[in-house]
Amino acid sequence: ACPSMRKSYIRLQNNKETDKAWLESIAALLGKATPDKWRQSNRTDAEYRLIEFSDRLEQLALVHAHQLKVDTDTEVTVFRVVNKQGATDQIAYLNPQLKNQARAAVKSIEHDFKNADKQLQLAIIAELLRDVS
C-alpha cells in the first residue's frame, strides 16, 4: 500500500479514547486539517478523499476475497477498465506457470514497448485490456 493508505489504515484502527476522537482523527486525515479549522475547501477535499479511500478499500477487499480462493503461490491482480461503456473489473490469477508464460510473451515485445513514447505505451496497454473485456 502507498504511504497515504498506510496512514489511513493506522487511523482506522480505533486506538482513541472516544468515538468522537476517532472520528476527528479520520476527519483530520481526510480534510488535511482538524474539523474545527475546516473551510469549504477542506470539506470538499475530505468528501473527495473519502470516496477515493472507499474505492480503494473496495478494490483491496475484492483482491483479498479472490486471494482466499487460490493457492499461496498464486497472485491475484485486479484491473479496472473504465471507458465510455462503463467500468469492468478483470481478475488475473497469476500462478507460477502463467507468470512464466507472460514473461516470455512480454520479452517478445519488450524492445518495441520500451522504445515507444508514453502515449504509445498507454495505447498498447489500453488495446490489450480492451481485447480482454
Side-chain angles (χ1 to χ4, degrees), residues 34-127:
T34 57
D36 60 328
K37 295 180 182 174
W38 275 15
R39 294 196 165 108
Q40 183 58 40
S41 63
N42 297 98
R43 180 185 174 104
T44 303
D45 289 348
E47 288 173 358
Y48 175 77
R49 283 190 193 91
L50 182 59
I51 291 167
E52 185 180 63
F53 184 67
S54 174
D55 287 345
R56 286 183 185 179
L57 286 177
E58 284 180 15
Q59 291 167 355
L60 288 172
L62 178 64
V63 169
H64 181 69
H66 284 273
Q67 191 69 56
L68 291 173
K69 298 176 186 177
V70 296
D71 297 331
T72 56
D73 65 342
T74 299
E75 179 184 328
V76 175
T77 302
V78 175
F79 299 95
R80 176 160 289 164
V81 179
V82 181
N83 56 28
K84 64 183 176 184
Q85 284 82 28
T88 58
D89 289 334
Q90 299 294 329
I91 299 161
Y93 298 97
L94 304 171
N95 61 35
Q97 179 184 357
L98 281 174
K99 281 183 185 180
N100 289 334
Q101 289 174 340
R103 284 185 188 123
V106 166
K107 277 191 182 276
S108 71
I109 65 165
E110 190 171 34
H111 180 268
D112 291 336
F113 187 80
K114 283 187 175 182
N115 289 324
D117 67 16
K118 183 177 180 177
Q119 286 304 309
L120 180 54
Q121 289 175 337
L122 291 172
I124 292 167
I125 292 167
E127 283 298 309

Side-chain angles (χ1 to χ4, degrees), residues 17-30:
E17 291 183 22
T18 66
D19 288 345
K20 181 180 178 190
W22 178 74
L23 285 171
E24 286 176 351
S25 174
I26 299 299
L29 176 73
L30 294 172

